[in-house]
Amino acid sequence: MTAEPGRRAELDLEGAGRVGTELVRLVRLIERTYAQHQTLHPDGVDRATYVLLVHLVDGGPHRSSALAEAVHSDPSTVSRQITQLVRIGLVRRVSDPADGRVVLLVATEEGERVLRENRRLRDDGIARMLAHWPAADREQFAQLLARFTTEFEQYKVARTPPGAAGRR
């Protein structure tokens, strides 16, 4: 149910509390699992730089400023993370063919391979974890999670002051 501002009594705060608690549990488990993955797999990259790699592989070349905007991060933070990705050979800087003065960030073949391998491991783990769920439950969960994520993005964007997207 959607409530107008000021009509707080209609909001399901108890249900929201349960969702919030489970989200905190999930995020903590994901963070712990991700840290373990990095130590066990040579292709593990930290989560923040992994997000940049995802955008460069899936979305193609980006200017650094556009990449920062896409990941809702500060340009100076993205610059440091890109430097790390360039240093380890997962991203390279190239001149924009349309304007040689502009530098584009591009995933290397190794960056694409690392992303594919990390996704394969992730997808395999999730598939094993949910294997005992009925197919209809897996599909409904995927749909509801996508819906929640979209709502979260829209809620966040609607409440972010202009120019504050990269600030934390």
Side-chain angles (χ1 to χ4, degrees):
M1 157 186 351
T2 304
E4 297 172 26
R7 295 188 65 193
R8 191 170 166 86
E10 292 185 28
L11 295 177
D12 179 7
L13 296 179
E14 184 178 324
R18 288 193 313 273
V19 170
T21 297
E22 294 307 317
L23 285 172
V24 169
R25 275 184 62 212
L26 179 60
V27 168
R28 289 181 65 208
L29 285 167
I30 289 170
E31 288 173 346
R32 224 175 299 137
T33 301
Y34 204 91
Q36 290 169 343
H37 172 81
Q38 281 185 270
T39 60
L40 297 174
H41 294 87
D43 289 337
V45 294
D46 73 69
R47 193 178 61 193
T49 55
Y50 181 81
V51 169
L52 300 178
L53 190 59
V54 167
H55 278 269
L56 293 174
V57 170
D58 292 349
H62 280 69
R63 291 181 179 197
S64 184
S65 58
L67 188 58
E69 186 175 317
V71 300
H72 311 288
S73 189
D74 183 78
S76 63
T77 301
V78 168
S79 179
R80 285 190 304 275
Q81 293 165 333
I82 286 297
T83 297
Q84 178 186 354
L85 288 170
V86 168
R87 184 178 47 75
I88 62 177
L90 303 182
V91 170
R92 62 190 168 94
R93 293 179 175 98
V94 299
S95 294
D96 185 340
D99 183 350
R101 300 168 296 172
V102 174
V103 173
L104 294 176
L105 304 167
V106 180
T108 63
E109 285 183 27
E110 178 66 1
E112 291 178 12
R113 185 198 66 76
V114 165
L115 181 63
R116 279 193 311 273
E117 177 63 9
N118 277 274
R119 278 186 173 159
R120 184 192 67 73
L121 290 168
R122 177 202 65 195
D123 294 350
D124 182 70
I126 292 171
R128 289 173 188 276
M129 184 175 43
L130 300 179
H132 68 281
W133 287 28
D137 287 358
R138 291 190 306 263
E139 180 58 31
Q140 182 181 25
F141 178 67
Q143 289 175 1
L144 289 172
L145 187 57
R147 180 177 167 192
F148 179 85
T149 303
T150 298
E151 290 285 338
F152 186 87
E153 286 173 333
Q154 291 171 352
Y155 183 85
K156 185 177 185 308
V157 167
R159 281 147 184 83
T160 302
R167 292 195 303 243
R168 294 190 178 243

